[in-house]
Amino acid sequence: MSFYEDLAAALDAEGIESRVNDETLFVPISSGVEIQFDVTNELLPAANIYIAAAPESCDGGTGPDADEEEFEAVLVSAVFSVDAAVDAVLDHMATDAIVDLVDELVTDPDGRFGDLQFTAVEGEPITVRSPAAENSELDIVIDIVDGEPTATVTLTTFDPDLEALLDDQLDGTDGPVDDETVAELIGCFLAEGLILPEQTMGLGTYTEFGRLLTVMPFIAEHVADWEEELTSTADDYDVLFGDSRDGDTEDDDDDIEDFDLDGDDEDGPAPQG
């Protein structure tokens, strides 16, 4: 059997469609993107891999029998076995699915996510985040687990006093404040018992991204209720964390001390890590 025949059989075993046309094997990985294999040595074997925009055929679908001169294929790698070729297809399909999911979450083209407004957060794995309800954040962390793209959704609720305390401490600060400074302040607040620890709630892990997008409108509708319940649970501070929170900080705004983030103020507590 030829390399293409072996590869087509291996892809078929994975449930992946492929076609051969003009000595090139085409593998559609989404409605607009395809992988192309070009064998450079049949005996070795060796094949170049190209990524290209899938051309639109006359019936509105995609396929290798459309006008190939209307798009440009880009060489991305080479493989030297059928197994490596299949792995490359699976990796590209996973990457394409992640890109599509992030785009869907950030743009919300159908307006299904209510007040949630996701933005991408730099880092590894990929994360998109949205403010939620009054004092919460909704994180969707996307990674490849055992070769399969996976999204994990978590709601994190913060103490309602946190924003006011941060505003008070950072009032008059010139220029942007980095995340490290904010984290140090939060550590100080926690050490002094001024705020409650954040509360988290898992909202599922998804390998079927279509299912996640179906669930998202329900999540958007219920985040306020979940925040209220999480905050109510955290407010029972004596039971959960011991009695180290003294009084109502809203009544003591004028008495809040300035925390020394440089660690050289003898009168103020050093930041907590």
Side-chain angles (χ1 to χ4, degrees):
M1 295 178 67
S2 70
F3 177 79
Y4 283 156
E5 290 174 324
D6 290 339
L7 178 54
L11 291 172
D12 186 62
E14 296 284 345
I16 300 172
E17 174 190 354
S18 64
R19 295 180 182 178
V20 177
N21 185 62
D22 292 338
E23 299 184 353
T24 298
L25 187 142
F26 297 81
V27 183
I29 60 174
S30 72
S31 60
V33 179
E34 68 185 8
I35 296 175
Q36 301 174 1
F37 287 91
D38 182 13
V39 171
T40 55
N41 187 302
E42 185 71 47
L43 296 178
L44 190 55
N48 291 336
I49 300 179
Y50 298 83
I51 297 292
E56 184 175 345
S57 61
C58 296
D59 59 2
T62 59
D65 52 358
D67 185 0
E68 297 178 13
E69 295 181 355
E70 293 183 359
F71 67 99
E72 184 175 346
V74 178
L75 177 66
V76 292
S77 62
V79 291
F80 304 96
S81 70
V82 169
D83 288 343
V86 172
D87 288 343
V89 170
L90 293 174
D91 286 345
H92 283 293
M93 292 182 72
T95 300
D96 190 71
I98 290 173
V99 170
D100 286 348
L101 176 62
V102 170
D103 182 68
E104 186 84 13
L105 291 169
V106 170
T107 62
D108 189 14
D110 299 322
R112 294 184 294 168
F113 307 153
D115 294 332
L116 298 178
Q117 296 183 339
F118 287 101
T119 55
V121 179
E122 291 186 7
E124 201 57 52
I126 297 169
T127 300
V128 292
R129 175 175 298 155
S130 172
E134 295 295 326
N135 298 286
S136 300
E137 288 179 347
L138 191 69
D139 284 348
I140 301 179
V141 178
I142 309 164
D143 203 357
I144 297 179
V145 180
D146 295 330
E148 190 167 26
T150 303
T152 301
V153 187
T154 305
L155 178 68
T156 303
T157 297
F158 304 96
D159 190 302
D161 294 332
L162 176 58
E163 185 174 355
L165 286 168
L166 287 173
D167 287 345
D168 181 83
Q169 291 294 314
L170 299 174
D171 184 35
T173 301
D174 295 328
V177 179
D178 59 33
D179 293 340
E180 183 178 354
T181 299
V182 173
E184 288 180 353
L185 278 172
I186 292 173
C188 292
F189 299 156
L190 287 168
E192 293 296 311
L194 296 175
I195 60 173
L196 302 174
E198 64 188 39
Q199 305 296 304
T200 60
M201 176 181 177
L203 295 172
T205 298
Y206 304 83
T207 55
E208 293 290 338
F209 289 169
R211 178 60 179 168
L212 171 58
L213 294 173
T214 299
V215 169
M216 280 305 304
F218 181 90
I219 291 176
E221 184 179 352
H222 287 81
V223 287
D225 294 336
W226 290 328
E227 177 186 86
E228 182 178 357
E229 189 165 349
L230 288 171
T231 304
S232 175
T233 300
D235 278 340
D236 192 1
Y237 199 76
D238 293 347
V239 174
L240 291 175
F241 311 110
D243 187 11
S244 63
R245 182 174 180 165
D246 298 327
D248 185 352
T249 56
E250 291 185 1
D251 297 333
D252 299 327
D253 285 345
D254 294 337
D255 299 327
I256 294 176
E257 62 185 304
D258 290 328
F259 291 100
D260 172 31
L261 295 180
D262 295 327
D264 56 4
D265 186 347
E266 295 180 359
D267 296 330
Q272 303 295 314

